[in-house]
Amino acid sequence: MAQATRLRFIPTLAASLVVLVATLPNAALASGEQVRIAIDVPYEPFVYRTPSGQLEGFEIDLGNELCKRAQLDCSWVEQGWDGIIPGLLSRKYDAILSSMAITAERKQQVLFSDPYYNTPSVWIALRGTQVDLDDKASLKGKTVGVQRGTIRDVYITEYYGDVMQVRRYGSSQEVANDLKAGRLDFAFEDYPIAHDAFDFQSSDAPFEQFGPDISTPTSIFGEGAAIAFRPRDEALAEKFNQALEEVNADGTFKALMERYFDYDLSVNAED
Amino acid sequence: MEQLNQAIIDLLSGNEIFTANTLDIYWEGLVNTVHLVFVSLLIGILLAVPLAILRGSRFAIIKWPIWCYTYVFRATPLLIQLYLAYYGFAFVPGVRDTWIWFFVEEPIYPALFAFTLNTAAYTTEIFHGAIKSTPRGEVEAARAYGMSRALTIRRIVLPSAFRRALPAYGNEVIFMLHASAIASVVTIMDLTGAAYYVYARFYAPFTAFIFVALLYMVLSFGIQAIFRGLERWLLAHLRPAG
């Protein structure tokens, strides 16, 4: 009896093995060179999921365009920000196209392409907040939320870590949520992200940009966002650089940008 | 000894990660973890003892709500409970104008809330099991001596049940320490949060996480030592004679 019970599982086991094998990535199928690109989802409007589960956004479109021009067979891998560089180094994917700013610390680990966009960081607070960012005494006891491990985390920790209470979140969405819930006095976010999450330019939005755009010191904020590769993959980086140059030259980049943004975030923008 | 000191100094001088600054973050993490786990265990056990007694009540109206509570909290992941406590309450309309907001605003209180209710649920079941397995003869003997029901529980049932529950409860304490590692998702700078911070700052997963694993191990060994001492003392009658 026990024997019979055990045997009954064998068809199930076989079926699940078939399913498993069928879903494994099939290397023999593709013609071009295979490149897996990691991206931290969501980071609206750079990348987000549609209700039907599709990945969409500026960086998805840009990445697909670059791959097409470089004749690469690209696939997207979702990866949380926390582990995105170690994942690249341990070969879980071959590139990171996820709004990663070029910084000296990251340069020690990865190889960067040319930057493809550059945006400042901004403080967001409730409309009518009365403090002075230069007067540290007025910030005492205030809370500020940042995404953990970003350039903005480094900046806040270095310049305001001694007076403000810094809360670090796994994603930028959680920062926005907690500012809206009233748990934070400030959020320190990337300009496009804040623009989408808080709509701070319209005058009836409850939150507003606080203080000027922040993009210095360059030692922290870097020279813009770029695609990251493993240091030895110089040939691959070169292909992407060439494709970037093409899309910049023939206006494709601008067209893509205008589909998602009503402001200029290209590297040479005057702001 | 001097050689050893020099070796440690040499070892530490070449690293950029374990500066006074990051060690300070780890220290903050250690304090927060111990604080969080200790307080939730303390409140948890205070809740669990009466609940465990009532859980064995003859009256359905007392017994079943407690059963429901322990069932729900043991059947759902602690992470989900933490998310609900942290994000759920904050978005209840109007909560910001009540006194409850004071407790919801800081991440520590929702975390304590979730951790306490979770450990109380497990502890209730551990104690309930121990109470249920009290030998009938002991209870009958107590009744024969003329003890009231309350006195029987206080003098006979609880002391022996505590002793039987002790090893299982020691496990629960260590599980709770390990489960507290999720506190960092609601921005509490606990040990794991500190490790995440160092990891994200220096992109050094091995260094950051091995160091924090060692800290957790030290804490676990400490807890184990305490419980072994307690067992030696309270379960002395079970040790082989001689």
Side-chain angles (χ1 to χ4, degrees):
Chain A
M1 193 58 215
Q3 189 74 23
T5 318
R6 217 173 296 150
L7 286 176
R8 238 186 287 153
F9 288 107
I10 286 180
T12 324
L13 193 71
S16 33
L17 262 179
V18 169
V19 171
L20 190 70
V21 170
T23 50
L24 282 175
N26 196 335
L29 261 175
S31 51
E33 187 186 342
Q34 292 224 327
V35 178
R36 296 159 300 170
I37 309 178
I39 190 158
D40 177 20
V41 184
Y43 204 59
E44 227 175 314
F46 291 93
V47 57
Y48 50 89
R49 260 189 199 290
T50 62
S52 61
Q54 292 288 328
L55 281 179
E56 259 183 29
F58 173 68
E59 285 186 320
I60 299 287
D61 285 358
L62 177 67
N64 288 340
E65 181 65 31
L66 294 177
C67 288
K68 205 170 82 191
R69 288 179 188 243
Q71 295 180 333
L72 300 168
D73 179 20
C74 293
S75 56
W76 294 94
V77 179
E78 256 185 76
Q79 165 71 49
W81 186 256
D82 277 343
I84 207 160
I85 285 184
L88 175 73
L89 300 179
S90 56
R91 312 189 73 88
K92 292 203 176 108
Y93 34 79
D94 312 299
I96 301 169
L97 201 164
S98 189
S99 296
M100 182 173 279
I102 306 171
T103 66
E105 269 166 344
R106 290 176 185 151
K107 265 186 188 164
Q108 292 180 0
Q109 308 273 337
V110 299
L111 174 71
F112 280 110
S113 71
D114 298 331
Y116 56 91
Y117 82 81
N118 198 1
T119 49
S121 300
V122 289
W123 292 82
I124 306 293
L126 258 185
R127 198 165 283 280
T129 298
Q130 296 289 342
V131 294
D132 182 1
L133 285 177
D134 296 322
D135 174 20
K136 291 216 165 169
S138 71
L139 294 172
K140 208 165 174 57
K142 302 279 183 198
T143 50
V144 55
V146 291
Q147 189 179 358
R148 181 166 40 218
T150 56
I151 49 176
R152 288 169 297 285
D153 183 2
V154 176
Y155 176 78
I156 290 290
T157 308
E158 200 145 299
Y159 286 81
Y160 297 96
D162 50 342
V163 282
M164 298 180 87
Q165 222 188 326
V166 185
R167 301 249 177 92
R168 299 181 180 84
Y169 295 81
S171 74
S172 68
Q173 209 169 34
E174 289 169 294
V175 181
N177 273 346
D178 258 8
L179 183 62
K180 284 175 181 165
R183 272 204 188 100
L184 296 170
D185 297 309
F186 296 97
F188 191 57
E189 297 255 47
D190 195 11
Y191 183 91
I193 303 305
H195 184 273
D196 263 45
F198 298 105
D199 189 30
F200 55 73
Q201 246 110 20
S202 68
S203 55
D204 54 344
F207 295 94
E208 63 178 349
Q209 181 181 352
F210 194 80
D213 293 353
I214 313 280
S215 54
T216 50
T218 321
S219 62
I220 291 179
F221 287 102
E223 310 112 52
I227 313 167
F229 306 91
R230 281 182 290 274
R232 52 182 296 191
D233 289 344
E234 280 173 23
L236 187 62
E238 197 39 53
K239 280 184 191 167
F240 273 94
N241 274 342
Q242 224 152 28
L244 261 177
E245 215 170 290
E246 276 176 43
V247 295
N248 272 321
D250 67 7
T252 316
F253 183 89
K254 196 155 176 282
L256 277 180
M257 186 172 79
E258 280 164 0
R259 193 186 300 171
Y260 290 97
F261 307 96
D262 52 12
Y263 47 89
D264 192 357
L265 44 71
S266 61
V267 180
N268 309 319
E270 293 291 319
D271 62 357
Chain B
M1 194 62 210
E2 211 157 86
Q3 249 178 333
L4 184 72
N5 269 343
Q6 193 54 46
I8 290 174
I9 289 167
D10 287 347
L11 191 73
L12 286 179
S13 66
N15 89 82
E16 292 167 0
I17 297 177
F18 291 111
T19 58
N21 206 341
T22 48
L23 287 180
D24 201 44
I25 289 172
Y26 274 118
W27 173 249
E28 188 193 336
L30 184 71
V31 171
N32 280 338
T33 291
V34 170
H35 175 204
L36 195 62
V37 173
F38 183 76
V39 174
S40 43
L41 283 170
L42 189 71
I43 306 178
I45 199 169
L46 290 179
L47 284 175
V49 172
L51 285 178
I53 296 169
L54 295 175
R55 167 88 165 76
S57 163
R58 277 176 302 161
F59 303 108
I61 192 150
I62 299 175
K63 187 163 74 175
W64 291 115
I66 299 174
W67 178 85
C68 273
Y69 155 67
T70 62
Y71 188 82
V72 166
F73 273 85
R74 292 184 308 147
T76 51
L78 181 54
L79 183 61
I80 305 295
Q81 295 162 17
L82 182 63
Y83 270 134
L84 282 177
Y86 186 73
Y87 287 110
F89 287 139
F91 284 97
V92 174
V95 73
R96 230 183 283 182
D97 305 322
T98 65
W99 56 272
I100 302 170
W101 182 247
F102 172 77
F103 291 103
V104 182
E105 189 178 7
E106 293 287 319
I108 190 88
Y109 294 112
L112 272 179
F113 182 77
F115 285 8
T116 303
L117 289 184
N118 185 276
T119 183
Y122 279 97
T123 313
T124 300
E125 287 301 317
I126 290 171
F127 285 165
H128 171 63
I131 290 172
K132 216 164 68 173
S133 63
T134 307
R136 284 197 66 81
E138 288 183 19
V139 180
E140 276 164 15
R143 306 289 290 175
Y145 268 98
M147 290 187 196
S148 69
R149 179 163 296 162
L151 196 63
T152 311
I153 286 177
R154 187 159 63 83
R155 280 205 189 145
I156 308 295
V157 177
L158 282 187
S160 84
F162 270 135
R163 290 183 162 91
R164 259 173 281 124
L166 203 55
Y169 184 65
N171 278 341
E172 165 62 16
V173 171
I174 288 175
F175 283 145
M176 205 54 216
L177 172 70
H178 295 168
S180 77
I182 63 171
S184 61
V185 301
V186 295
T187 75
I188 294 175
M189 201 41 129
D190 72 334
L191 271 178
T192 309
Y196 261 129
Y197 177 76
V198 173
Y199 162 46
R201 185 83 173 73
F202 299 96
Y203 311 109
F206 268 122
T207 335
F209 286 121
I210 285 179
F211 185 66
V212 87
L214 286 175
L215 290 178
Y216 275 116
M217 267 172 75
V218 170
L219 284 179
S220 294
F221 282 140
I223 293 171
Q224 271 174 31
I226 291 171
F227 273 89
R228 190 170 315 159
L230 274 176
E231 282 170 32
R232 283 175 76 87
W233 176 44
L234 291 173
L235 303 180
H237 60 288
L238 294 182
R239 259 184 293 160

